[in-house]
């Protein structure tokens, strides 16, 4: 579920966001691994004023169209939900199911 959405973001969407936020510097659109990292990075910028100030992108993030912001925030929410489910299942397996 996460990988098809990542390929969807890798297309034109991450390049558009990079053009606005990074002044055209193409770093996160180099390959799929960097796209995953960049999608999480940009989602935190769209999600939090503190992160946007930290990366000096508070004014630039308002220039990104709303439909692009939504895709990155949805990707972040799905990623965090899957990560929490993975960690929960690992803890349950380790602490409750593996009794010797």
């Amino acid at each position: 579920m996460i990988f098809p959405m990542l390929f969807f973001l890798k297309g034109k969407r991450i390049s558009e966001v990079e053009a606005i936020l990074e002044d055209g510097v193409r770093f996160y659109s180099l390959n799929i691994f960097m796209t995953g990292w960049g999608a999480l990075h940009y989602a935190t910028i769209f999600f939090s004023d503190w992160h946007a100030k930290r990366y000096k992108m508070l004014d630039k993030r308002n220039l990104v169209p709303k439909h692009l912001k939504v895709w990155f925030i949805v990707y972040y929410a799905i990623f965090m939900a899957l990560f929490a489910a993975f960690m929960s299942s690992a803890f349950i397996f380790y602490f409750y199911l593996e009794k010797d």
Side-chain angles (χ1 to χ4, degrees):
M1 182 170 153
I2 199 89
F3 289 114
M5 189 166 185
L6 190 60
F7 281 110
F8 177 73
L9 289 175
K10 173 143 180 32
K12 195 171 114 177
R13 282 141 192 92
I14 199 149
S15 297
E16 289 178 18
V17 172
E18 281 178 329
I20 296 169
L21 293 179
E22 305 286 345
D23 298 323
V25 176
R26 305 273 187 241
F27 179 70
Y28 294 119
S29 60
L30 291 174
N31 56 34
I32 196 68
F33 300 111
M34 296 305 293
T35 301
W37 184 14
L40 296 175
H41 171 69
Y42 290 139
T44 57
I45 289 172
F46 298 143
F47 223 34
S48 166
D49 289 342
W50 182 78
H51 278 33
K53 287 178 191 174
R54 180 179 178 199
Y55 293 112
K56 297 176 180 75
M57 295 183 182
L58 188 60
D59 297 330
K60 290 181 184 179
R61 78 173 183 172
N62 295 330
L63 301 174
V64 177
K66 179 84 170 158
H67 70 278
L68 289 176
K69 290 180 186 180
V70 169
W71 282 111
F72 286 92
I73 292 172
V74 167
Y75 176 79
Y76 181 81
I78 292 171
F79 180 86
M80 288 300 168
L82 290 176
F83 180 74
F86 172 75
M87 292 305 292
S88 299
S89 65
F91 285 133
I92 289 170
F93 182 77
Y94 183 76
F95 289 114
Y96 297 109
L97 298 178
E98 275 295 307
K99 301 285 184 187
D100 287 332

